């Protein structure tokens, strides 16, 4: 019997009800905690409503998609063992991993902020990422900076 991956594939994922977007649906699933999807859905939709009130001239779905695209890394460093030494080798990142990393960085940035409602924190982080600011974009910049610093080891890429 072959190994079965337990994550939902793109064919099984259904678009969300409000925006009819697979990306929003995936983000809701990633924001979910302890299987409480209704709470995650409420958090994401409330954050998008807050964005709609604060940024009037751009639709919230466009703000969300742009924010996610601004968080996606182009390159990352991976450890490679060569001749008894470990090197941080810069490697290009494929599209699905870019999306996964961007969602993960947004989620951890929102959950790290304390003292405010998660809805407000998510809305603020998405608006910051839309403007190429914020914690998730800083994380992406740090990854790019690390890859740039280790460019000399790029000939070890496999």
């Amino acid at each position: 019997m072959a190994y079965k991956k337990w994550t939902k594939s793109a064919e099984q994922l259904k678009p969300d009800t409000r925006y009819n977007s697979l990306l929003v649906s995936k983000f809701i699933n990633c924001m979910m905690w302890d299987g409480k999807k209704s709470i995650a859905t409420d958090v994401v939709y409330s954050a998008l409503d807050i964005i709609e009130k604060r940024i009037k001239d751009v639709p919230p779905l466009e703000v969300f998609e742009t924010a996610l695209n601004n968080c996606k890394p182009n390159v990352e460093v991976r450890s490679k063992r060569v001749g008894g030494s470990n090197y941080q080798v810069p490697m290009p990142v494929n599209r699905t991993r870019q999306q996964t990393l961007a969602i993960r960085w947004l989620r951890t940035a929102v959950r790290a902020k304390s003292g405010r409602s998660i809805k407000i924190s998510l809305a603020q982080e998405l608006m910051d990422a839309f403007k190429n600011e914020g914690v998730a974009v800083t994380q992406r910049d740090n990854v790019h900076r690390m890859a740039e610093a280790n460019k000399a080891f790029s000939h070890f890429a496999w």
Side-chain angles (χ1 to χ4, degrees), residues 106-146:
L106 277 168
R107 184 185 65 209
T108 55
V110 168
R111 288 182 180 166
K113 292 180 184 179
S114 60
R116 276 200 264 173
S117 168
I118 194 162
K119 299 170 188 178
I120 297 169
S121 296
L122 178 59
Q124 188 62 48
E125 188 63 35
L126 285 172
M127 287 187 289
D128 287 347
F130 177 69
K131 296 181 239 170
N132 260 335
E133 301 169 355
V135 178
V137 175
T138 305
Q139 178 85 23
R140 183 212 55 197
D141 291 341
N142 289 341
V143 167
H144 281 182
R145 200 172 300 118
M146 182 80 89

Short mmCIF file of all heavy atoms in Angstrom, two decimals, residues 106-146:
data_model
loop_
_atom_site.label_atom_id
_atom_site.label_comp_id
_atom_site.label_asym_id
_atom_site.label_seq_id
_atom_site.Cartn_x
_atom_site.Cartn_y
_atom_site.Cartn_z
N LEU A 106 3.09 34.91 7.55
CA LEU A 106 1.98 35.79 7.95
C LEU A 106 1.32 35.27 9.21
O LEU A 106 1.04 36.02 10.14
CB LEU A 106 0.95 35.90 6.82
CG LEU A 106 1.26 36.90 5.71
CD1 LEU A 106 0.32 36.70 4.54
CD2 LEU A 106 1.15 38.31 6.24
N ARG A 107 1.07 33.97 9.25
CA ARG A 107 0.40 33.37 10.40
C ARG A 107 1.23 33.53 11.67
O ARG A 107 0.70 33.93 12.72
CB ARG A 107 0.14 31.88 10.13
CG ARG A 107 -0.62 31.18 11.22
CD ARG A 107 -0.75 29.70 10.96
NE ARG A 107 0.58 29.10 11.00
CZ ARG A 107 0.94 28.03 10.32
NH1 ARG A 107 0.08 27.43 9.54
NH2 ARG A 107 2.16 27.53 10.40
N THR A 108 2.51 33.26 11.60
CA THR A 108 3.34 33.38 12.80
C THR A 108 3.50 34.84 13.22
O THR A 108 3.56 35.12 14.43
CB THR A 108 4.74 32.75 12.60
OG1 THR A 108 5.35 33.33 11.46
CG2 THR A 108 4.64 31.26 12.44
N ALA A 109 3.53 35.76 12.27
CA ALA A 109 3.62 37.18 12.60
C ALA A 109 2.37 37.64 13.33
O ALA A 109 2.44 38.39 14.31
CB ALA A 109 3.82 38.01 11.34
N VAL A 110 1.21 37.16 12.89
CA VAL A 110 -0.06 37.54 13.52
C VAL A 110 -0.17 36.92 14.91
O VAL A 110 -0.56 37.59 15.87
CB VAL A 110 -1.24 37.10 12.63
CG1 VAL A 110 -2.55 37.21 13.36
CG2 VAL A 110 -1.28 37.94 11.37
N ARG A 111 0.20 35.66 15.03
CA ARG A 111 0.08 34.98 16.33
C ARG A 111 1.10 35.49 17.35
O ARG A 111 0.88 35.36 18.54
CB ARG A 111 0.23 33.47 16.15
CG ARG A 111 -0.98 32.86 15.47
CD ARG A 111 -0.86 31.37 15.34
NE ARG A 111 -2.04 30.81 14.68
CZ ARG A 111 -2.10 29.60 14.20
NH1 ARG A 111 -1.07 28.78 14.30
NH2 ARG A 111 -3.20 29.17 13.61
N ALA A 112 2.21 36.07 16.87
CA ALA A 112 3.22 36.58 17.79
C ALA A 112 2.80 37.90 18.44
O ALA A 112 3.28 38.24 19.51
CB ALA A 112 4.54 36.77 17.05
N LYS A 113 1.92 38.63 17.76
CA LYS A 113 1.46 39.90 18.33
C LYS A 113 0.48 39.61 19.45
O LYS A 113 -0.51 38.90 19.26
CB LYS A 113 0.77 40.75 17.27
CG LYS A 113 1.70 41.26 16.20
CD LYS A 113 0.96 42.09 15.20
CE LYS A 113 1.88 42.52 14.09
NZ LYS A 113 1.21 43.31 13.07
N SER A 114 0.74 40.18 20.62
CA SER A 114 -0.16 39.95 21.74
C SER A 114 -0.77 41.28 22.16
O SER A 114 -0.26 42.35 21.86
CB SER A 114 0.58 39.31 22.91
OG SER A 114 1.61 40.18 23.34
N GLY A 115 -1.87 41.20 22.87
CA GLY A 115 -2.52 42.39 23.38
C GLY A 115 -3.65 42.90 22.52
O GLY A 115 -4.44 43.72 22.95
N ARG A 116 -3.73 42.43 21.28
CA ARG A 116 -4.80 42.85 20.39
C ARG A 116 -5.57 41.63 19.89
O ARG A 116 -5.07 40.52 19.94
CB ARG A 116 -4.23 43.58 19.17
CG ARG A 116 -3.96 45.03 19.40
CD ARG A 116 -3.90 45.75 18.09
NE ARG A 116 -2.49 45.87 17.69
CZ ARG A 116 -2.12 46.33 16.52
NH1 ARG A 116 -2.99 46.71 15.63
NH2 ARG A 116 -0.85 46.42 16.22
N SER A 117 -6.75 41.88 19.38
CA SER A 117 -7.54 40.81 18.78
C SER A 117 -6.79 40.27 17.56
O SER A 117 -6.12 41.02 16.84
CB SER A 117 -8.91 41.36 18.37
OG SER A 117 -9.57 40.43 17.56
N ILE A 118 -6.93 38.98 17.32
CA ILE A 118 -6.23 38.38 16.18
C ILE A 118 -6.79 38.92 14.86
O ILE A 118 -6.07 39.02 13.87
CB ILE A 118 -6.29 36.83 16.25
CG1 ILE A 118 -5.29 36.21 15.27
CG2 ILE A 118 -7.68 36.32 15.98
CD1 ILE A 118 -4.96 34.79 15.53
N LYS A 119 -8.06 39.32 14.85
CA LYS A 119 -8.65 39.91 13.65
C LYS A 119 -7.95 41.21 13.28
O LYS A 119 -7.59 41.44 12.13
CB LYS A 119 -10.14 40.18 13.87
CG LYS A 119 -10.94 38.95 14.19
CD LYS A 119 -12.33 39.31 14.64
CE LYS A 119 -13.05 38.08 15.14
NZ LYS A 119 -14.39 38.35 15.64
N ILE A 120 -7.75 42.05 14.29
CA ILE A 120 -7.09 43.34 14.05
C ILE A 120 -5.63 43.12 13.69
O ILE A 120 -5.10 43.79 12.79
CB ILE A 120 -7.24 44.24 15.30
CG1 ILE A 120 -8.71 44.55 15.53
CG2 ILE A 120 -6.44 45.52 15.16
CD1 ILE A 120 -9.01 45.20 16.87
N SER A 121 -4.98 42.19 14.36
CA SER A 121 -3.57 41.89 14.06
C SER A 121 -3.40 41.38 12.63
O SER A 121 -2.47 41.78 11.92
CB SER A 121 -3.03 40.86 15.03
OG SER A 121 -3.03 41.34 16.33
N LEU A 122 -4.31 40.49 12.20
CA LEU A 122 -4.25 39.96 10.84
C LEU A 122 -4.49 41.07 9.83
O LEU A 122 -3.77 41.17 8.82
CB LEU A 122 -5.27 38.83 10.65
CG LEU A 122 -5.34 38.21 9.27
CD1 LEU A 122 -4.00 37.63 8.85
CD2 LEU A 122 -6.42 37.15 9.22
N ALA A 123 -5.47 41.91 10.08
CA ALA A 123 -5.75 43.01 9.16
C ALA A 123 -4.55 43.94 9.05
O ALA A 123 -4.15 44.35 7.95
CB ALA A 123 -6.99 43.78 9.62
N GLN A 124 -3.94 44.26 10.20
CA GLN A 124 -2.78 45.16 10.20
C GLN A 124 -1.59 44.54 9.48
O GLN A 124 -0.92 45.21 8.70
CB GLN A 124 -2.40 45.51 11.65
CG GLN A 124 -1.34 46.57 11.75
CD GLN A 124 -1.78 47.89 11.15
OE1 GLN A 124 -2.88 48.36 11.44
NE2 GLN A 124 -0.96 48.46 10.30
N GLU A 125 -1.34 43.26 9.71
CA GLU A 125 -0.21 42.60 9.06
C GLU A 125 -0.43 42.50 7.56
O GLU A 125 0.51 42.67 6.77
CB GLU A 125 0.00 41.21 9.66
CG GLU A 125 1.26 40.52 9.20
CD GLU A 125 2.55 41.23 9.58
OE1 GLU A 125 2.61 41.83 10.67
OE2 GLU A 125 3.50 41.19 8.77
N LEU A 126 -1.67 42.23 7.12
CA LEU A 126 -1.96 42.18 5.69
C LEU A 126 -1.79 43.55 5.04
O LEU A 126 -1.25 43.66 3.93
CB LEU A 126 -3.37 41.64 5.44
CG LEU A 126 -3.56 40.14 5.64
CD1 LEU A 126 -5.03 39.76 5.57
CD2 LEU A 126 -2.77 39.34 4.62
N MET A 127 -2.23 44.60 5.73
CA MET A 127 -2.07 45.96 5.19
C MET A 127 -0.59 46.34 5.14
O MET A 127 -0.15 46.99 4.19
CB MET A 127 -2.88 46.97 6.00
CG MET A 127 -4.37 46.85 5.75
SD MET A 127 -5.32 48.14 6.52
CE MET A 127 -5.19 47.71 8.25
N ASP A 128 0.17 45.95 6.16
CA ASP A 128 1.61 46.21 6.15
C ASP A 128 2.29 45.47 5.01
O ASP A 128 3.15 46.02 4.32
CB ASP A 128 2.24 45.82 7.49
CG ASP A 128 1.90 46.78 8.61
OD1 ASP A 128 1.39 47.88 8.31
OD2 ASP A 128 2.11 46.43 9.78
N ALA A 129 1.94 44.20 4.82
CA ALA A 129 2.53 43.41 3.74
C ALA A 129 2.12 43.97 2.37
O ALA A 129 2.90 43.91 1.42
CB ALA A 129 2.11 41.95 3.85
N PHE A 130 0.93 44.52 2.28
CA PHE A 130 0.46 45.16 1.05
C PHE A 130 1.36 46.34 0.69
O PHE A 130 1.64 46.60 -0.47
CB PHE A 130 -0.99 45.62 1.22
CG PHE A 130 -1.56 46.34 0.04
CD1 PHE A 130 -1.82 45.67 -1.15
CD2 PHE A 130 -1.86 47.69 0.11
CE1 PHE A 130 -2.36 46.34 -2.24
CE2 PHE A 130 -2.39 48.36 -0.97
CZ PHE A 130 -2.64 47.68 -2.15
N LYS A 131 1.86 47.04 1.72
CA LYS A 131 2.75 48.20 1.52
C LYS A 131 4.23 47.80 1.56
O LYS A 131 5.10 48.67 1.64
CB LYS A 131 2.50 49.24 2.62
CG LYS A 131 1.13 49.84 2.59
CD LYS A 131 1.00 50.87 3.69
CE LYS A 131 -0.13 50.47 4.60
NZ LYS A 131 -0.22 51.26 5.81
N ASN A 132 4.53 46.51 1.50
CA ASN A 132 5.89 45.98 1.57
C ASN A 132 6.58 46.33 2.88
O ASN A 132 7.75 46.69 2.92
CB ASN A 132 6.74 46.45 0.39
CG ASN A 132 6.84 45.41 -0.69
OD1 ASN A 132 6.71 44.22 -0.44
ND2 ASN A 132 7.05 45.86 -1.90
N GLU A 133 5.84 46.22 3.97
CA GLU A 133 6.37 46.44 5.32
C GLU A 133 5.92 45.26 6.17
O GLU A 133 5.34 44.32 5.67
CB GLU A 133 5.80 47.74 5.90
CG GLU A 133 6.10 48.98 5.10
CD GLU A 133 5.33 50.20 5.57
OE1 GLU A 133 4.49 50.06 6.47
OE2 GLU A 133 5.56 51.28 5.00
N GLY A 134 6.19 45.31 7.45
CA GLY A 134 5.69 44.30 8.37
C GLY A 134 6.65 43.16 8.62
O GLY A 134 7.71 43.04 8.00
N VAL A 135 6.24 42.30 9.55
CA VAL A 135 7.10 41.21 10.03
C VAL A 135 7.32 40.15 8.96
O VAL A 135 8.44 39.66 8.78
CB VAL A 135 6.49 40.58 11.31
CG1 VAL A 135 7.33 39.43 11.81
CG2 VAL A 135 6.32 41.64 12.39
N ALA A 136 6.28 39.78 8.23
CA ALA A 136 6.40 38.72 7.22
C ALA A 136 7.30 39.16 6.07
O ALA A 136 8.10 38.37 5.57
CB ALA A 136 5.02 38.33 6.70
N VAL A 137 7.20 40.41 5.67
CA VAL A 137 8.06 40.92 4.59
C VAL A 137 9.50 41.02 5.09
O VAL A 137 10.45 40.75 4.34
CB VAL A 137 7.54 42.29 4.08
CG1 VAL A 137 8.47 42.88 3.06
CG2 VAL A 137 6.15 42.11 3.47
N THR A 138 9.67 41.39 6.35
CA THR A 138 11.01 41.42 6.93
C THR A 138 11.63 40.03 6.95
O THR A 138 12.83 39.87 6.67
CB THR A 138 10.96 41.98 8.37
OG1 THR A 138 10.32 43.25 8.34
CG2 THR A 138 12.34 42.13 8.96
N GLN A 139 10.83 39.03 7.25
CA GLN A 139 11.29 37.63 7.22
C GLN A 139 11.76 37.26 5.82
O GLN A 139 12.82 36.66 5.65
CB GLN A 139 10.16 36.71 7.67
CG GLN A 139 10.49 35.25 7.65
CD GLN A 139 11.18 34.79 8.90
OE1 GLN A 139 11.07 35.40 9.94
NE2 GLN A 139 11.92 33.71 8.79
N ARG A 140 10.98 37.64 4.81
CA ARG A 140 11.37 37.37 3.42
C ARG A 140 12.68 38.09 3.07
O ARG A 140 13.57 37.51 2.45
CB ARG A 140 10.27 37.83 2.47
CG ARG A 140 10.60 37.50 1.02
CD ARG A 140 10.06 38.45 0.01
NE ARG A 140 10.46 39.82 0.28
CZ ARG A 140 9.86 40.86 -0.26
NH1 ARG A 140 8.85 40.70 -1.07
NH2 ARG A 140 10.28 42.07 0.00
N ASP A 141 12.80 39.34 3.50
CA ASP A 141 14.03 40.10 3.23
C ASP A 141 15.23 39.46 3.91
O ASP A 141 16.33 39.45 3.34
CB ASP A 141 13.86 41.55 3.68
CG ASP A 141 12.87 42.31 2.81
OD1 ASP A 141 12.60 41.84 1.68
OD2 ASP A 141 12.38 43.36 3.25
N ASN A 142 15.04 38.94 5.13
CA ASN A 142 16.14 38.27 5.82
C ASN A 142 16.59 37.02 5.09
O ASN A 142 17.78 36.72 5.00
CB ASN A 142 15.74 37.92 7.26
CG ASN A 142 15.64 39.13 8.13
OD1 ASN A 142 16.18 40.20 7.83
ND2 ASN A 142 14.92 39.00 9.24
N VAL A 143 15.62 36.26 4.55
CA VAL A 143 15.95 35.05 3.78
C VAL A 143 16.72 35.44 2.52
O VAL A 143 17.72 34.80 2.17
CB VAL A 143 14.67 34.25 3.45
CG1 VAL A 143 14.93 33.19 2.41
CG2 VAL A 143 14.10 33.63 4.70
N HIS A 144 16.27 36.51 1.83
CA HIS A 144 16.96 36.96 0.63
C HIS A 144 18.38 37.46 0.96
O HIS A 144 19.32 37.21 0.20
CB HIS A 144 16.17 38.06 -0.06
CG HIS A 144 15.02 37.55 -0.85
ND1 HIS A 144 14.18 38.36 -1.58
CD2 HIS A 144 14.54 36.30 -1.04
CE1 HIS A 144 13.26 37.64 -2.18
NE2 HIS A 144 13.45 36.38 -1.86
N ARG A 145 18.52 38.15 2.09
CA ARG A 145 19.82 38.66 2.50
C ARG A 145 20.77 37.51 2.81
O ARG A 145 21.95 37.55 2.46
CB ARG A 145 19.64 39.56 3.73
CG ARG A 145 20.79 40.50 3.96
CD ARG A 145 20.52 41.51 5.05
NE ARG A 145 19.37 42.34 4.75
CZ ARG A 145 18.25 42.39 5.48
NH1 ARG A 145 18.13 41.65 6.57
NH2 ARG A 145 17.26 43.18 5.15
N MET A 146 20.25 36.47 3.46
CA MET A 146 21.06 35.29 3.78
C MET A 146 21.50 34.60 2.48
O MET A 146 22.66 34.16 2.38
CB MET A 146 20.26 34.31 4.64
CG MET A 146 21.05 33.12 5.05
SD MET A 146 22.13 33.44 6.41
CE MET A 146 21.05 33.07 7.74
#
